[in-house]
Amino acid sequence: MNALKKLFGGDTRQFGMIFALVALILFFQWMTDGRTLTPGNVINLFNGNSYILILAIGMVLVIIAGHIDLSVGSVAAFVGVTVALAIRDWGIPWYLGILLGLGLGILIGAWQGFWTAYVGIPAFIVTLAGMLLFRGFNQFVGKSNTIPVPSDFQYIGSGYLPEVGPNTGYNNLTLLIGIFAVAFVVWGEIRSRNTAKALGAEVPETWVMVTKLVLISAAILYATYLFATGRPGTSFPIPGLILAVLVLIYGFISSKTVVGRHVYAVGGNRHAAELSGVQSKKVNFLVMMNMSVLAGLAGMIFVARSTASGPFDGVGWELDAIAAVFIGGAAVTGGVGTVIGSIVGGLVMAVLNNGLQLLGIGADLTQIIKGLVLLIAVAFDVYNKSQGKKSIIGLMMRGFQRGQGGGPSNPLQPDETTSTKETISREA
């Protein structure tokens, strides 16, 4: 037990959600006779859930800021149908269609951000109106028809990394990405350790670092193997690549920039943040606009994968994104949450969905199980906080960020164990 405590940062429970994800994967691997961890199933899992995970990235920032966005499914559907129509009827190239969709997301986000930030209407009401408004626009513009998109556009939703270089029996680009990911993790851990040493902080024993790196690297390489050995013509999916880039960008913004710290500060205590010079209206405007941009991107990826836009696209997406964020450790009251945590929460729901489908469980029972998982996950974390314990998921994410170089040397890193007032006063 002492060895586990050293390995996982002093509290083995801090990695509870990752353990839950691994346990789910192993359980379904056993129950489905090995069908869960096959290349084809893993690739389909990422392709089929990438748009929800992209929504979760934007939603976690909205929730950290103390809001909720109910319109993301309708916004995604409206952007998707508009882009499909523009490509078909106006004859614009697919890449201009993507730019059009992102621009439309900016306009919609600015509209909702204005009412929320500057008029003062609660985001719940603004986005509830937006859910009805843009669902109606989706059906009005598309006339409730199915609108196909060209094969070039479909690539962003169902494409794969191409085959390059010598014939190794694997997808070489996928292998390179996996090797780069391992190198990045190792570099981040060593850099964090060296920084801690330079500051005179206590560092884990060498065997702890080596063991942790071996476990993480093994998981990355195994996933790389699965993606690189799929059926001919498949490899690491393009939606997964887009998701990975977004995770890196938004993970950096939320944890390493002034804008990210202001989002945490506003969500933790808006009035205290304003007294410290934080422009809360600007922060609220930006998080709402950013959410709509990512919703537009998610809608285009879904339409590209489906090969056509339909009148029922986006239905229920907001609930899946919100569930992913709360399972990933965000607080209902705001001020707490991480991008990585939301991705883990989204993967838990994705694996649960996928495993139940492989077992032939009906949609009714699947919804019941998902609801119970969401309730139990959040209740368990709330219980620990009410007992004066640190949030398990919050600790997990803080430990992960430290492993990537955002450790104790960064006193402005917001987390659940640092009050908003302390965070703002340090920044000021």
Side-chain angles (χ1 to χ4, degrees):
M1 183 60 69
N2 288 334
L4 286 175
K5 287 183 178 180
K6 289 182 179 180
L7 184 59
F8 297 114
D11 189 347
T12 57
R13 297 176 303 170
Q14 67 183 296
F15 287 85
M17 192 50 62
I18 290 181
F19 286 157
L21 176 60
V22 173
L24 271 179
I25 293 173
L26 295 178
F27 172 75
F28 285 123
Q29 176 74 354
W30 170 58
M31 290 297 294
T32 60
D33 297 324
R35 286 180 292 163
T36 298
L37 290 179
T38 58
N41 187 62
V42 172
I43 291 172
N44 288 335
L45 188 147
F46 269 82
N47 268 337
N49 293 277
S50 57
Y51 63 96
I52 294 297
L53 296 177
I54 290 173
L55 289 177
I57 293 174
M59 188 66 74
V60 70
L61 296 178
V62 171
I63 290 175
I64 289 171
H67 305 297
I68 204 79
D69 193 333
L70 300 177
S71 68
V72 294
S74 297
V75 171
F78 176 54
V79 171
V81 72
T82 302
V83 171
L85 277 171
I87 293 176
R88 188 192 70 177
D89 296 346
W90 300 349
I92 66 174
W94 64 271
Y95 51 87
L96 290 183
I98 294 175
L99 293 178
L100 172 64
L102 295 177
L104 187 56
I106 291 174
L107 292 177
I108 294 172
W111 164 264
Q112 301 198 126
F114 168 76
W115 290 105
T116 300
Y118 295 103
V119 178
I121 301 176
F124 181 89
I125 302 300
V126 172
T127 57
L128 178 59
M131 180 175 68
L132 301 174
L133 184 66
F134 297 111
R135 174 59 54 188
F137 277 145
N138 170 58
Q139 296 175 351
F140 175 78
V141 171
K143 303 187 186 305
S144 298
N145 293 325
T146 299
I147 303 167
V149 292
S151 56
D152 289 342
F153 186 81
Q154 294 172 21
Y155 186 72
I156 67 169
S158 56
Y160 300 95
L161 294 178
E163 299 286 348
V164 297
N167 184 9
T168 61
Y170 304 95
N171 181 268
N172 294 328
L173 285 180
T174 302
L175 293 179
L176 287 176
I177 289 177
I179 293 171
F180 174 79
V182 170
F184 179 77
V185 169
V186 172
W187 172 80
E189 183 69 22
I190 293 175
R191 178 176 176 270
S192 176
R193 184 181 179 87
N194 290 338
T195 301
K197 281 184 176 180
L199 294 173
E202 183 180 355
V203 296
E205 300 172 27
T206 302
W207 72 265
V208 173
M209 181 187 72
V210 172
T211 305
K212 183 190 298 186
L213 288 177
V214 167
L215 291 175
I216 296 175
S217 299
I220 293 174
L221 291 176
Y222 182 64
T224 301
Y225 167 79
L226 291 176
F227 284 117
T229 56
R231 61 179 174 79
T234 64
S235 59
F236 193 73
I238 297 302
L241 187 61
I242 295 172
L243 175 65
V245 171
L246 291 175
V247 168
L248 291 175
I249 292 174
Y250 281 91
F252 176 80
I253 291 173
S254 63
S255 63
K256 305 292 184 184
T257 67
V258 172
V259 173
R261 292 169 193 142
H262 285 184
V263 173
Y264 280 93
V266 170
N269 190 321
R270 180 174 63 85
H271 296 296
E274 290 174 346
L275 290 174
S276 297
V278 176
Q279 300 179 36
S280 63
K281 291 182 179 180
K282 183 178 180 180
V283 169
N284 290 329
F285 180 84
L286 288 176
V287 296
M288 297 302 295
M289 184 168 66
N290 175 74
M291 180 72 260
S292 292
V293 173
L294 291 181
L297 177 60
M300 289 187 286
I301 287 177
F302 181 82
V303 168
R305 182 173 184 269
S306 304
T307 71
S309 170
F312 299 106
D313 292 350
V315 175
W317 290 10
E318 59 279 344
L319 302 181
D320 289 332
I322 293 169
V325 172
F326 284 134
I327 289 176
V332 179
T333 54
V336 175
T338 61
V339 171
I340 295 296
S342 299
I343 296 299
V344 173
L347 287 176
V348 167
M349 297 300 284
V351 170
L352 188 62
N353 264 330
N354 179 260
L356 292 174
Q357 289 175 1
L358 291 176
L359 291 174
I361 304 298
D364 50 356
L365 189 55
T366 297
Q367 294 297 322
I368 293 172
I369 294 173
K370 287 169 61 179
L372 289 174
V373 168
L374 172 61
L375 184 62
I376 292 171
V378 176
F380 188 60
D381 210 44
V382 168
Y383 172 77
N384 277 278
K385 295 174 188 176
S386 68
Q387 297 299 308
K389 302 174 182 178
K390 297 175 182 178
S391 166
I392 295 171
I393 303 171
L395 281 172
M396 175 185 73
M397 293 306 122
R398 187 179 66 173
F400 179 88
Q401 289 170 342
R402 286 179 177 175
Q404 298 303 313
S409 61
N410 186 359
L412 297 178
Q413 173 63 42
D415 57 48
E416 319 180 30
T417 61
T418 303
S419 69
T420 303
K421 187 174 181 180
E422 292 173 332
T423 301
I424 298 170
S425 62
R426 289 173 182 172
E427 184 178 355

